[in-house]
Amino acid sequence: MIPSAREISTRLLEWFRVHQRSLPWRRDYDPYHIWVVEIMLQQTQVRTVIPYYQRFMERFPTVQALAEASLDEVLQLWAGLGYYRRARYLHQSAQQIIAKHGGRIPHSLRELMALPGIGRYTAGAIRSIGFNLDAPVVDGNVIRVLARLFGIEGDVKQSRIQKRFWALAEDLIPSGRAREFNQALMEFGATVCTPPHPQCDSCPLRDSCRAYASGDPTQYPQMPRRPETIMLRDVTAVIMHRGSYLLVQRTEEDRWGGLWEFPRGTCEKDESDGEALVRILRQKLGLEVRVESHLHTLRHTVTHHRITLHAYRCQWVSGEPQTHTYSAVIWCPLESLADYAAPAPQVRLVKHLLGS
DNA sequence: AATACGGGGAG
DNA sequence: CTCCCAGTATT
């Protein structure tokens, strides 16, 4: 039988009343708090976000504090969380909110979506969770729960299917209770109706779930095929000269934009690590170096690229570092390396250097 | 409609 | 290790 909207929302609200997690941003539902945490939660799980959120709010308790901070400091607090454009957008948005909205988070869909980094999902989350307006949200959890419950077939990325999810998410909202309901729907997806191994045994919606009736709920939703993984070999140069290490700041448009790291680049086909290092340091910094010894190997992933990063200790030979391919270049003492916002693999490398 | 953007968790 | 997951902006 087709479950009624009322039945679903009632059961989800009851489930949420009993099972909701206690989270820092659920204490007051301040729109500023909700905005920041929803940006952090884009593509990122709750458990990962919590410590970042707490540090962030300690340092930037208000929109004003965030707007007045330097981008460097915002990135420093964001370092390790990934998708660094989010931090830049958050910072820019804070300044726009001060300039155009008198320091208050706007509540209309139009004004929210005009802010950088806020799309339809985040606007809906701020409107519903922050302001308790009857606005729908559709994230990965919502898509999964609704696709299973209603047995929705077809690639979920298709705009036709997307429209169905948004319409359903809106229809299900019990009037005046979007704050609770949207959180219930998403948290239910994150903890019960999980991608693999859904907890159907304890599911309050099982009796009306099409996917459960089909015998294999994990067949829903139908995800698009992922692009093939590309393997890359990167090298990075740890250059110490007169007691300091050469650090470069990546440009804003670049990936890891605004973050600091040891100079690095990708090996070309049939190029040795040493050849690549010499080439990259010449091209990017105008430096001549001698490659001394292999220090460490790290593996990480960027979108569909799987990168093996080899770090080498290098000796400066000649040339003054040029900035043209970077935002900045500095010589940094070992004990200050940790003060610069850096991507996660770089942080691991620095830790390795400090430990050895 | 397709693609780029980082990192973490589970098995 | 390998596989899986996921909003926004840009093209």
Side-chain angles (χ1 to χ4, degrees), chain A residues 103-146:
Chain A
R104 296 183 130 84
I105 314 296
H107 58 262
S108 78
L109 188 63
R110 183 183 61 77
E111 289 172 304
L112 283 167
M113 286 188 65
L115 294 169
I118 299 185
R120 191 164 174 198
Y121 164 77
T122 307
I126 295 169
R127 281 162 55 74
S128 60
I129 303 172
F131 293 103
N132 199 26
L133 296 165
D134 284 346
V137 290
V138 173
D139 72 345
N141 292 308
V142 174
I143 286 172
R144 191 170 53 255
V145 172
L146 298 184

Short mmCIF file of all heavy atoms in Angstrom, two decimals, chain A residues 103-146:
data_model
loop_
_atom_site.label_atom_id
_atom_site.label_comp_id
_atom_site.label_asym_id
_atom_site.label_seq_id
_atom_site.Cartn_x
_atom_site.Cartn_y
_atom_site.Cartn_z
N GLY A 103 23.92 42.13 9.05
CA GLY A 103 24.49 41.15 9.98
C GLY A 103 23.54 40.03 10.37
O GLY A 103 23.88 39.18 11.19
N ARG A 104 22.35 40.01 9.79
CA ARG A 104 21.39 38.93 10.08
C ARG A 104 21.36 37.95 8.91
O ARG A 104 21.33 38.37 7.76
CB ARG A 104 19.98 39.50 10.26
CG ARG A 104 19.84 40.41 11.43
CD ARG A 104 18.35 40.83 11.51
NE ARG A 104 17.84 40.63 12.85
CZ ARG A 104 17.99 41.52 13.82
NH1 ARG A 104 18.64 42.64 13.59
NH2 ARG A 104 17.50 41.28 15.02
N ILE A 105 21.26 36.68 9.23
CA ILE A 105 21.15 35.68 8.18
C ILE A 105 19.80 35.87 7.49
O ILE A 105 18.76 35.88 8.17
CB ILE A 105 21.21 34.24 8.76
CG1 ILE A 105 22.33 34.07 9.79
CG2 ILE A 105 21.31 33.20 7.65
CD1 ILE A 105 23.72 34.25 9.26
N PRO A 106 19.79 36.03 6.15
CA PRO A 106 18.50 36.20 5.48
C PRO A 106 17.68 34.91 5.53
O PRO A 106 18.23 33.83 5.75
CB PRO A 106 18.89 36.54 4.04
CG PRO A 106 20.29 36.08 3.87
CD PRO A 106 20.93 36.11 5.23
N HIS A 107 16.38 35.02 5.36
CA HIS A 107 15.55 33.82 5.44
C HIS A 107 14.81 33.49 4.15
O HIS A 107 14.16 32.46 4.06
CB HIS A 107 14.57 33.92 6.61
CG HIS A 107 13.68 35.10 6.54
ND1 HIS A 107 13.95 36.26 7.23
CD2 HIS A 107 12.55 35.33 5.84
CE1 HIS A 107 13.01 37.15 6.95
NE2 HIS A 107 12.14 36.61 6.11
N SER A 108 14.90 34.37 3.14
CA SER A 108 14.21 34.03 1.89
C SER A 108 15.10 33.13 1.04
O SER A 108 16.32 33.22 1.07
CB SER A 108 13.83 35.29 1.11
OG SER A 108 14.97 35.81 0.43
N LEU A 109 14.45 32.26 0.27
CA LEU A 109 15.19 31.34 -0.59
C LEU A 109 16.07 32.12 -1.57
O LEU A 109 17.23 31.79 -1.79
CB LEU A 109 14.18 30.47 -1.36
CG LEU A 109 14.77 29.31 -2.18
CD1 LEU A 109 15.45 28.31 -1.26
CD2 LEU A 109 13.67 28.64 -2.99
N ARG A 110 15.52 33.18 -2.12
CA ARG A 110 16.24 33.97 -3.10
C ARG A 110 17.51 34.59 -2.50
O ARG A 110 18.60 34.48 -3.06
CB ARG A 110 15.32 35.08 -3.64
CG ARG A 110 15.92 35.95 -4.73
CD ARG A 110 14.96 37.06 -5.14
NE ARG A 110 14.61 37.96 -4.03
CZ ARG A 110 15.43 38.93 -3.56
NH1 ARG A 110 16.61 39.11 -4.10
NH2 ARG A 110 15.03 39.70 -2.56
N GLU A 111 17.37 35.22 -1.34
CA GLU A 111 18.53 35.88 -0.73
C GLU A 111 19.57 34.87 -0.26
O GLU A 111 20.77 35.10 -0.36
CB GLU A 111 18.08 36.75 0.45
CG GLU A 111 17.33 37.99 0.03
CD GLU A 111 16.72 38.72 1.22
OE1 GLU A 111 15.95 38.10 1.99
OE2 GLU A 111 17.03 39.91 1.38
N LEU A 112 19.11 33.74 0.27
CA LEU A 112 20.06 32.73 0.73
C LEU A 112 20.85 32.16 -0.45
O LEU A 112 22.08 32.02 -0.39
CB LEU A 112 19.34 31.61 1.47
CG LEU A 112 18.92 31.95 2.90
CD1 LEU A 112 17.93 30.92 3.44
CD2 LEU A 112 20.13 32.06 3.81
N MET A 113 20.14 31.84 -1.53
CA MET A 113 20.84 31.23 -2.67
C MET A 113 21.73 32.21 -3.41
O MET A 113 22.58 31.81 -4.20
CB MET A 113 19.84 30.57 -3.61
CG MET A 113 19.30 29.28 -3.00
SD MET A 113 18.28 28.31 -4.11
CE MET A 113 19.45 27.84 -5.38
N ALA A 114 21.56 33.50 -3.14
CA ALA A 114 22.45 34.50 -3.74
C ALA A 114 23.80 34.52 -3.03
O ALA A 114 24.76 35.09 -3.54
CB ALA A 114 21.80 35.88 -3.68
N LEU A 115 23.88 33.92 -1.85
CA LEU A 115 25.15 33.88 -1.12
C LEU A 115 26.03 32.75 -1.67
O LEU A 115 25.51 31.67 -1.98
CB LEU A 115 24.90 33.67 0.37
CG LEU A 115 24.17 34.83 1.08
CD1 LEU A 115 23.73 34.39 2.48
CD2 LEU A 115 25.08 36.06 1.18
N PRO A 116 27.34 32.99 -1.78
CA PRO A 116 28.21 31.94 -2.32
C PRO A 116 28.27 30.72 -1.41
O PRO A 116 28.34 30.85 -0.19
CB PRO A 116 29.58 32.63 -2.42
CG PRO A 116 29.51 33.81 -1.52
CD PRO A 116 28.06 34.22 -1.46
N GLY A 117 28.21 29.56 -1.99
CA GLY A 117 28.30 28.32 -1.24
C GLY A 117 26.97 27.80 -0.76
O GLY A 117 26.88 26.72 -0.17
N ILE A 118 25.88 28.56 -1.00
CA ILE A 118 24.56 28.12 -0.60
C ILE A 118 23.74 27.76 -1.83
O ILE A 118 23.43 28.61 -2.65
CB ILE A 118 23.83 29.20 0.23
CG1 ILE A 118 24.63 29.50 1.50
CG2 ILE A 118 22.40 28.75 0.57
CD1 ILE A 118 23.94 30.47 2.44
N GLY A 119 23.43 26.50 -1.95
CA GLY A 119 22.58 26.02 -3.03
C GLY A 119 21.20 25.70 -2.47
O GLY A 119 20.85 26.12 -1.36
N ARG A 120 20.45 24.90 -3.21
CA ARG A 120 19.08 24.68 -2.80
C ARG A 120 18.99 23.88 -1.49
O ARG A 120 18.15 24.16 -0.64
CB ARG A 120 18.32 23.95 -3.90
CG ARG A 120 16.85 23.94 -3.62
CD ARG A 120 16.03 23.59 -4.82
NE ARG A 120 14.62 23.47 -4.45
CZ ARG A 120 13.72 22.85 -5.19
NH1 ARG A 120 14.08 22.29 -6.33
NH2 ARG A 120 12.47 22.77 -4.79
N TYR A 121 19.86 22.90 -1.35
CA TYR A 121 19.83 22.11 -0.11
C TYR A 121 20.12 22.99 1.11
O TYR A 121 19.35 23.00 2.08
CB TYR A 121 20.84 20.94 -0.14
CG TYR A 121 21.04 20.44 1.27
CD1 TYR A 121 20.09 19.64 1.87
CD2 TYR A 121 22.12 20.89 2.06
CE1 TYR A 121 20.18 19.27 3.19
CE2 TYR A 121 22.24 20.52 3.37
CZ TYR A 121 21.27 19.71 3.94
OH TYR A 121 21.35 19.37 5.25
N THR A 122 21.24 23.71 1.06
CA THR A 122 21.65 24.49 2.23
C THR A 122 20.66 25.60 2.54
O THR A 122 20.36 25.87 3.71
CB THR A 122 23.07 25.05 2.02
OG1 THR A 122 23.94 23.97 1.67
CG2 THR A 122 23.60 25.71 3.28
N ALA A 123 20.10 26.21 1.49
CA ALA A 123 19.08 27.23 1.71
C ALA A 123 17.87 26.60 2.43
O ALA A 123 17.35 27.18 3.40
CB ALA A 123 18.66 27.84 0.38
N GLY A 124 17.48 25.42 1.99
CA GLY A 124 16.36 24.74 2.64
C GLY A 124 16.66 24.37 4.08
O GLY A 124 15.80 24.46 4.96
N ALA A 125 17.89 23.96 4.34
CA ALA A 125 18.28 23.58 5.69
C ALA A 125 18.28 24.80 6.62
O ALA A 125 17.81 24.72 7.76
CB ALA A 125 19.67 22.92 5.67
N ILE A 126 18.79 25.93 6.12
CA ILE A 126 18.80 27.14 6.95
C ILE A 126 17.37 27.61 7.21
O ILE A 126 16.99 27.96 8.33
CB ILE A 126 19.64 28.25 6.28
CG1 ILE A 126 21.11 27.83 6.21
CG2 ILE A 126 19.50 29.57 7.05
CD1 ILE A 126 21.97 28.73 5.34
N ARG A 127 16.55 27.58 6.15
CA ARG A 127 15.17 28.03 6.30
C ARG A 127 14.39 27.13 7.27
O ARG A 127 13.65 27.62 8.11
CB ARG A 127 14.47 28.06 4.94
CG ARG A 127 14.84 29.29 4.11
CD ARG A 127 14.51 29.14 2.64
NE ARG A 127 13.11 28.80 2.37
CZ ARG A 127 12.09 29.65 2.47
NH1 ARG A 127 12.32 30.89 2.84
NH2 ARG A 127 10.88 29.25 2.20
N SER A 128 14.56 25.83 7.14
CA SER A 128 13.78 24.93 7.99
C SER A 128 14.39 24.77 9.38
O SER A 128 13.73 25.01 10.40
CB SER A 128 13.62 23.57 7.31
OG SER A 128 14.88 22.97 7.06
N ILE A 129 15.66 24.40 9.44
CA ILE A 129 16.26 24.11 10.74
C ILE A 129 16.57 25.40 11.50
O ILE A 129 16.37 25.50 12.71
CB ILE A 129 17.53 23.25 10.57
CG1 ILE A 129 17.18 21.95 9.82
CG2 ILE A 129 18.14 22.91 11.94
CD1 ILE A 129 18.37 21.11 9.43
N GLY A 130 17.03 26.42 10.77
CA GLY A 130 17.38 27.68 11.42
C GLY A 130 16.15 28.53 11.77
O GLY A 130 16.08 29.11 12.85
N PHE A 131 15.17 28.59 10.85
CA PHE A 131 14.02 29.48 11.05
C PHE A 131 12.70 28.75 11.24
O PHE A 131 11.66 29.38 11.41
CB PHE A 131 13.90 30.43 9.85
CG PHE A 131 15.04 31.41 9.72
CD1 PHE A 131 16.05 31.22 8.77
CD2 PHE A 131 15.12 32.53 10.55
CE1 PHE A 131 17.09 32.13 8.64
CE2 PHE A 131 16.16 33.45 10.43
CZ PHE A 131 17.15 33.25 9.47
N ASN A 132 12.73 27.44 11.16
CA ASN A 132 11.51 26.61 11.24
C ASN A 132 10.44 27.01 10.22
O ASN A 132 9.25 26.99 10.51
CB ASN A 132 10.93 26.61 12.66
CG ASN A 132 10.00 25.42 12.88
OD1 ASN A 132 10.13 24.39 12.21
ND2 ASN A 132 9.07 25.56 13.80
N LEU A 133 10.91 27.37 9.02
CA LEU A 133 9.97 27.62 7.91
C LEU A 133 9.71 26.29 7.20
O LEU A 133 10.57 25.41 7.19
CB LEU A 133 10.58 28.63 6.93
CG LEU A 133 10.82 30.04 7.49
CD1 LEU A 133 11.75 30.83 6.59
CD2 LEU A 133 9.49 30.76 7.69
N ASP A 134 8.56 26.14 6.59
CA ASP A 134 8.20 24.88 5.93
C ASP A 134 8.91 24.70 4.59
O ASP A 134 8.28 24.68 3.53
CB ASP A 134 6.68 24.82 5.71
CG ASP A 134 5.94 24.51 7.00
OD1 ASP A 134 6.60 24.09 7.98
OD2 ASP A 134 4.72 24.69 7.02
N ALA A 135 10.24 24.57 4.65
CA ALA A 135 11.03 24.43 3.42
C ALA A 135 11.60 23.02 3.33
O ALA A 135 12.10 22.49 4.32
CB ALA A 135 12.17 25.46 3.44
N PRO A 136 11.55 22.40 2.15
CA PRO A 136 12.08 21.05 2.02
C PRO A 136 13.60 21.02 1.90
O PRO A 136 14.22 22.01 1.50
CB PRO A 136 11.44 20.56 0.72
CG PRO A 136 11.21 21.80 -0.08
CD PRO A 136 10.94 22.90 0.91
N VAL A 137 14.18 19.90 2.27
CA VAL A 137 15.60 19.63 2.01
C VAL A 137 15.72 18.29 1.29
O VAL A 137 14.99 17.35 1.59
CB VAL A 137 16.45 19.57 3.30
CG1 VAL A 137 16.59 20.93 3.93
CG2 VAL A 137 15.90 18.56 4.29
N VAL A 138 16.64 18.24 0.34
CA VAL A 138 16.94 16.97 -0.32
C VAL A 138 18.45 16.81 -0.35
O VAL A 138 19.14 17.50 -1.08
CB VAL A 138 16.38 16.92 -1.75
CG1 VAL A 138 16.85 15.66 -2.46
CG2 VAL A 138 14.85 16.96 -1.73
N ASP A 139 18.94 15.93 0.50
CA ASP A 139 20.37 15.60 0.47
C ASP A 139 20.48 14.11 0.17
O ASP A 139 19.48 13.46 -0.16
CB ASP A 139 21.06 15.99 1.79
CG ASP A 139 20.67 15.06 2.93
OD1 ASP A 139 19.67 14.31 2.80
OD2 ASP A 139 21.37 15.06 3.96
N GLY A 140 21.67 13.56 0.28
CA GLY A 140 21.87 12.15 -0.02
C GLY A 140 21.02 11.24 0.85
O GLY A 140 20.51 10.21 0.39
N ASN A 141 20.86 11.61 2.12
CA ASN A 141 20.04 10.80 3.02
C ASN A 141 18.58 10.81 2.61
O ASN A 141 17.94 9.76 2.58
CB ASN A 141 20.15 11.34 4.46
CG ASN A 141 21.53 11.13 5.04
OD1 ASN A 141 22.06 10.03 5.02
ND2 ASN A 141 22.12 12.20 5.54
N VAL A 142 18.09 11.99 2.30
CA VAL A 142 16.68 12.12 1.92
C VAL A 142 16.41 11.33 0.64
O VAL A 142 15.41 10.61 0.53
CB VAL A 142 16.30 13.61 1.74
CG1 VAL A 142 14.87 13.74 1.22
CG2 VAL A 142 16.46 14.35 3.07
N ILE A 143 17.31 11.44 -0.31
CA ILE A 143 17.16 10.70 -1.57
C ILE A 143 17.08 9.20 -1.30
O ILE A 143 16.22 8.50 -1.83
CB ILE A 143 18.34 11.02 -2.52
CG1 ILE A 143 18.17 12.43 -3.09
CG2 ILE A 143 18.42 9.97 -3.64
CD1 ILE A 143 19.36 12.91 -3.89
N ARG A 144 17.96 8.72 -0.44
CA ARG A 144 17.97 7.28 -0.16
C ARG A 144 16.70 6.83 0.53
O ARG A 144 16.08 5.83 0.14
CB ARG A 144 19.20 6.92 0.68
CG ARG A 144 19.46 5.44 0.79
CD ARG A 144 20.81 5.17 1.42
NE ARG A 144 20.97 5.86 2.68
CZ ARG A 144 21.70 6.94 2.87
NH1 ARG A 144 22.38 7.47 1.89
NH2 ARG A 144 21.77 7.50 4.06
N VAL A 145 16.28 7.57 1.56
CA VAL A 145 15.09 7.18 2.31
C VAL A 145 13.85 7.20 1.40
O VAL A 145 13.08 6.24 1.38
CB VAL A 145 14.86 8.14 3.51
CG1 VAL A 145 13.52 7.86 4.18
CG2 VAL A 145 16.00 7.99 4.52
N LEU A 146 13.70 8.28 0.64
CA LEU A 146 12.50 8.39 -0.20
C LEU A 146 12.53 7.40 -1.37
O LEU A 146 11.50 6.82 -1.72
CB LEU A 146 12.36 9.83 -0.73
CG LEU A 146 12.17 10.90 0.35
CD1 LEU A 146 11.95 12.26 -0.30
CD2 LEU A 146 11.03 10.55 1.29
#
